[in-house]
Amino acid sequence: MVTLAQVARHAGVSPSTVSYVLSGKRSISEATRRRVEHSIAELGYHPHAGARALASNRSNVIALMIPLRTDMFVPVMMEIAISITTTARRYAHDVLLLTSEEGPSAVKRVAGSGLADAIILMDVELDDERIPLLRQTGAAAALIGLPADPSGLSCVDLDFEATGAVAADHLADLGHREVALIGAAETVYRRHTGFAERTLAGFGRRAAERGLSFLHRPCGGSHEATAGTLSRILEERPGTTGFVVQNEAALPHLLSLLRQVGRAVPEDASVVAICPDDVALHASPQLTSVSIPAEEMGRRAVELVMAQASGEDTTGLTLLAPTLTVRESTGPAPHAG
Amino acid sequence: MVTLAQVARHAGVSPSTVSYVLSGKRSISEATRRRVEHSIAELGYHPHAGARALASNRSNVIALMIPLRTDMFVPVMMEIAISITTTARRYAHDVLLLTSEEGPSAVKRVAGSGLADAIILMDVELDDERIPLLRQTGAAAALIGLPADPSGLSCVDLDFEATGAVAADHLADLGHREVALIGAAETVYRRHTGFAERTLAGFGRRAAERGLSFLHRPCGGSHEATAGTLSRILEERPGTTGFVVQNEAALPHLLSLLRQVGRAVPEDASVVAICPDDVALHASPQLTSVSIPAEEMGRRAVELVMAQASGEDTTGLTLLAPTLTVRESTGPAPHAG
DNA sequence: CTGAAAGCGCTAACAG
DNA sequence: CTGTTAGCGCTTTCAG
């Protein structure tokens, strides 16, 4: 193992000088810096992470807690995790992966052992067990998702109200007058509160502003549930031509059901999905959708904890603006027959 | 921060005694141990990871390098990563997540900085850039997947030869006489060598042993490519009733194409997929498949590096036995018309 | 069975 | 602009 002391000897300077060349915490003459950097390269020196953490009281590690239960769409989780890792590297940090299998106590372990300087929680639940521990340890932290009580916490999430509004706008712009929001399953409403309700609120308000008449129906993920939901909507409002769907599982069923009942997409009915781009692209027809900005969520979370490290107060919600991508599943409203 | 010294004072023993209670490296009287453990609990002590790493020269961390390019099926990658993390915890280790974005030099950085005691590489390529560095640093390591030259390395992978054989056996048992292997795309054959060829070898040998006549065709993932492949197979061998498919992307297309040409699955044609269970379960009909044993791959990889840590030589291939799950896509061969 | 004490490699005052 | 040095908290000889 090459040590800093060896580098110092090789370069003919003191250990502290090498340390300062590395950290940039004081000015070094050009000549000295070059000599040191040369020695570092020649010896293949890498600072010992543990020693550094011990002396500086900072580990340069961010802990990332992912849920075991994998009901968030897995590729999205993965994309967030990758985004967090690559962003962390830009701040010279590494990422420690924790699963919730260890339980909420992992928060205490990581905070208490100096393993990580900050914690990012993914897939935060309404009433997340980890949050009290987080508050108690006072660790730097960012949450992806919104808990019931986000006071004093730094949270990142998609702006679901704006998402609902954007979807309503798109359908209104295309001339649709009667629209329906096919929502998440009941179970999702219970656990993950907030996101479904927020979408509905934004959708409802904008639909009203644009003079649309609209319906909202929660929906299970199975074929049967989707069929039931759709037929009830069409019975109640046969003139419905625009659908907003916030339910990945129901999406393929809905598409085949619409075809089955003779409503071609997008000629007779338009569908706006709220889902990851993957899903939208793999459906047929490809879906006009508001995507989940996974990359940005991960990046923002890292930026939040890094800002905290430099003393900033980042408390509050970071709500990301939705972007709607027009694909093949939406088109002008059919002329009233 | 609670330190070991504070625990020692609180318990009325020396620091070394506390250390030995923690490590179990020498015998401690029952009374002392109890006092120390009580103090630890009461003070909420957690050993400082960096200090421990510095003093012991072991970080208790395993580095996991995942590919950025995400052509392995993402949920499988995720499942492996989770399996690695939970298994690591059983050995009191944590997992550091590295993406290949940093490049192969991440191997050097991690090995050189004492950040991790061992490295697990996922989605290893035939001629992986990281492998020379791994050999050079001599770090403890395990690979998931097989490189071209695995000599001196510890590798874990599904036994694809046995996989091919199992698939052939299943079709033979059901009375099929003419079968076809629809393989991966050409590009996959190039990069990921080994796995496709190994499947083919196993399939071909067993098919021959069982007296089946068989065909092998690589296949792109698009609808068009799949259609072309299928029609050429049926032209050349109209009597083909059994298909083995090692190509996730082609799977849905193949199923709808078979329906289209009037071959009902499983009445007229049987399909065995080689794919993650997810994919098999979401197809309709649900697919008889040989699954990718993600959980076991992750677990084995951790076990390999932990064994290396205790001085064992684990060099060699760990090939996991395939398991075939019968679902709805295979059935008895139709009687010859 | 238990203590005392010497570092592990680095950072950050404190000096100059 | 550079050097000296006292720890950071833990492990592990060496003594007893």
Side-chain angles (χ1 to χ4, degrees):
Chain A
M1 234 229 127
V2 187
T3 71
L4 178 146
Q6 294 176 309
V7 174
R9 217 171 306 130
H10 186 271
V13 298
S14 76
S16 60
T17 298
V18 176
S19 176
Y20 285 117
V21 166
L22 253 29
S23 69
K25 287 189 181 169
R26 73 185 188 191
S27 40
I28 303 281
S29 75
E30 194 46 37
T32 308
R33 145 171 296 114
R34 256 212 287 280
R35 241 163 348 115
V36 170
E37 278 167 352
H38 175 254
S39 298
I40 287 176
E42 186 159 324
L43 301 181
Y45 168 73
H46 287 276
H48 188 283
R52 179 171 264 188
L54 180 57
S56 67
N57 209 22
R58 299 171 60 295
S59 63
N60 278 30
V61 166
I62 297 171
L64 172 62
M65 290 194 68
I66 62 173
L68 262 190
R69 144 182 80 66
T70 198
D71 73 341
M72 206 183 188
F73 197 63
V74 178
V76 173
M77 276 189 31
M78 195 73 180
E79 194 179 339
I80 295 177
I82 288 178
S83 166
I84 287 174
T85 307
T86 62
T87 307
R89 283 307 303 150
R90 284 213 279 287
Y91 289 92
H93 279 243
D94 278 290
V95 170
L96 199 76
L97 193 62
L98 303 175
T99 66
S100 30
E101 205 222 23
E102 193 181 344
S105 66
V107 170
K108 275 200 297 208
R109 184 173 68 85
V110 165
S113 66
L115 248 180
D117 301 330
I119 306 183
I120 295 177
L121 301 189
M122 278 185 60
D123 201 17
V124 168
E125 292 185 31
L126 177 56
D127 185 28
D128 204 297
E129 292 179 274
R130 301 167 295 183
I131 292 181
L133 294 178
L134 214 54
R135 288 204 160 95
Q136 176 188 323
T137 65
L143 315 198
I144 296 181
L146 300 191
D149 172 19
S151 61
L153 300 172
S154 305
C155 306
V156 178
D157 206 351
L158 175 59
D159 186 340
F160 281 100
E161 277 207 42
T163 298
V166 161
D169 270 334
H170 180 61
L171 291 175
D173 290 345
L174 288 168
H176 296 270
R177 312 303 306 160
E178 297 187 50
V179 298
L181 171 59
I182 298 182
E186 286 297 337
T187 62
V188 173
Y189 277 76
R190 248 174 265 139
R191 257 217 329 277
H192 256 312
T193 226
F195 95 86
E197 284 82 350
R198 287 185 278 143
T199 307
L200 173 59
F203 177 74
R205 183 154 22 77
R206 186 60 50 87
E209 286 169 14
R210 301 287 304 255
L212 310 183
S213 74
F214 77 95
L215 232 47
H216 166 242
R217 292 288 175 273
C219 179
S222 70
H223 189 87
E224 291 71 33
T226 310
T229 302
L230 178 63
S231 67
R232 267 176 281 118
I233 290 173
L234 292 181
E235 239 164 67
E236 190 167 342
R237 292 271 177 80
T240 300
T241 58
F243 296 88
V244 177
V245 184
Q246 185 172 213
N247 185 329
E248 277 144 26
L251 230 23
H253 303 135
L254 180 68
L255 292 173
S256 76
L257 285 162
L258 284 171
R259 210 171 293 132
Q260 221 171 287
V261 301
R263 307 225 179 186
V265 174
E267 292 78 7
D268 307 320
S270 286
V271 175
V272 179
I274 300 171
C275 70
D277 279 338
D278 293 58
V279 174
L281 287 166
H282 282 81
S284 104
Q286 294 193 346
L287 299 167
T288 293
S289 71
V290 179
S291 65
I292 313 293
E295 191 280 328
E296 187 177 4
M297 292 174 114
R299 184 163 42 74
R300 293 297 196 99
V302 173
E303 287 166 358
L304 283 175
V305 296
M306 296 319 299
Q308 289 170 39
S310 33
E312 272 176 60
D313 177 9
T314 64
T315 292
L317 309 184
T318 302
L319 296 180
L320 306 184
T323 58
L324 182 140
T325 305
V326 179
R327 299 202 182 81
E328 307 166 352
S329 67
T330 53
H335 290 294
Chain B
M1 232 230 129
V2 187
T3 71
L4 178 147
Q6 293 176 309
V7 173
R9 216 170 308 128
H10 186 272
V13 299
S14 76
S16 58
T17 298
V18 176
S19 176
Y20 284 118
V21 167
L22 254 27
S23 68
K25 287 189 180 168
R26 74 182 186 192
S27 40
I28 303 282
S29 75
E30 193 45 36
T32 307
R33 145 171 297 116
R34 255 212 287 280
R35 240 161 349 115
V36 169
E37 278 166 351
H38 175 254
S39 298
I40 288 177
E42 187 160 324
L43 300 181
Y45 167 73
H46 287 276
H48 187 284
R52 181 172 265 189
L54 179 57
S56 67
N57 210 22
R58 301 173 46 327
S59 63
N60 278 30
V61 166
I62 297 172
L64 172 62
M65 291 194 68
I66 62 173
L68 263 190
R69 145 182 79 67
T70 196
D71 74 340
M72 205 183 186
F73 196 62
V74 178
V76 173
M77 275 188 32
M78 195 72 180
E79 194 179 340
I80 294 177
I82 288 178
S83 165
I84 287 175
T85 307
T86 61
T87 307
R89 284 305 305 150
R90 285 213 277 288
Y91 289 92
H93 279 242
D94 278 290
V95 169
L96 199 75
L97 194 61
L98 303 174
T99 66
S100 30
E101 205 220 25
E102 194 181 343
S105 66
V107 170
K108 274 201 296 210
R109 184 173 68 83
V110 166
S113 66
L115 248 181
D117 301 330
I119 305 182
I120 295 178
L121 301 188
M122 277 185 60
D123 202 14
V124 168
E125 293 185 31
L126 179 56
D127 185 27
D128 205 296
E129 292 179 271
R130 301 167 294 184
I131 292 179
L133 293 179
L134 214 54
R135 289 204 159 94
Q136 175 187 323
T137 64
L143 315 197
I144 296 181
L146 300 190
D149 172 18
S151 60
L153 300 171
S154 305
C155 306
V156 178
D157 206 352
L158 174 61
D159 185 339
F160 282 100
E161 279 207 39
T163 297
V166 162
D169 270 333
H170 179 62
L171 292 174
D173 290 346
L174 289 168
H176 295 270
R177 311 305 304 159
E178 298 187 49
V179 298
L181 171 60
I182 298 183
E186 286 297 337
T187 61
V188 173
Y189 277 76
R190 249 173 262 138
R191 256 218 328 277
H192 257 309
T193 225
F195 95 86
E197 285 81 348
R198 286 185 278 142
T199 306
L200 174 57
F203 177 73
R205 182 153 24 77
R206 186 60 51 88
E209 286 169 15
R210 301 287 304 254
L212 310 183
S213 74
F214 77 98
L215 232 46
H216 166 241
R217 292 288 175 272
C219 179
S222 70
H223 189 87
E224 292 70 35
T226 311
T229 302
L230 178 63
S231 68
R232 267 176 281 116
I233 290 174
L234 292 180
E235 237 164 68
E236 190 167 340
R237 292 272 177 79
T240 301
T241 58
F243 296 88
V244 176
V245 184
Q246 185 171 213
N247 186 330
E248 276 144 26
L251 229 23
H253 302 136
L254 180 69
L255 291 174
S256 77
L257 285 162
L258 283 171
R259 211 172 292 133
Q260 219 171 288
V261 301
R263 307 224 179 187
V265 174
E267 292 78 7
D268 307 320
S270 286
V271 175
V272 178
I274 300 171
C275 71
D277 280 336
D278 294 59
V279 174
L281 287 167
H282 282 81
S284 103
Q286 295 194 344
L287 298 166
T288 292
S289 71
V290 179
S291 65
I292 314 292
E295 191 279 329
E296 186 176 6
M297 291 174 115
R299 184 163 42 76
R300 293 298 195 100
V302 172
E303 288 167 357
L304 282 175
V305 296
M306 295 320 300
Q308 288 171 39
S310 33
E312 273 176 58
D313 178 9
T314 64
T315 292
L317 310 184
T318 302
L319 295 180
L320 305 185
T323 57
L324 182 141
T325 304
V326 179
R327 297 202 183 82
E328 308 166 351
S329 67
T330 53
H335 289 293

